[in-house]
Amino acid sequence: MLINPTGNAGLGTAGAGDTLTGIIAGFIAQDTATMKNDADALAATIAALYVGGLAGDFAARELGMRTMVASDIREHISEAVRSLDPKGERP
């Protein structure tokens, strides 16, 4: 059993599932492109779920859960990634 510690009730909004699907697809694509035959779609999916939930947590802190929409999640993805690896996201 896997339990994701990120996310909140604000993620239960129209389009949030589509946003999550896009995050998952992007993570799998990046993993496949960089790791080739060693790519792990499950690990990429788990990472995407964590980052998507974290983006939702950042959006909720800024905007509140009741008024959060899918685009708010998308707008906080880069903040979520940078919070996990601030040095790795710089040239």
Side-chain angles (χ1 to χ4, degrees), residues 30-89:
Q30 289 179 34
D31 186 42
T32 302
T34 57
M35 301 301 290
K36 308 289 184 216
N37 291 334
D38 292 327
D40 184 345
L42 178 59
T45 300
I46 292 168
L49 291 171
Y50 186 90
V51 169
L54 189 58
D57 289 341
F58 288 143
R61 284 188 202 128
E62 182 180 324
L63 307 165
M65 289 186 288
R66 288 186 177 175
T67 60
M68 200 164 67
V69 295
S71 61
D72 297 325
I73 300 162
R74 178 186 43 110
E75 290 172 6
H76 287 82
I77 293 170
S78 62
E79 180 183 3
V81 171
R82 285 191 319 269
S83 75
L84 297 171
D85 186 16
K87 292 181 183 178
E89 289 301 307

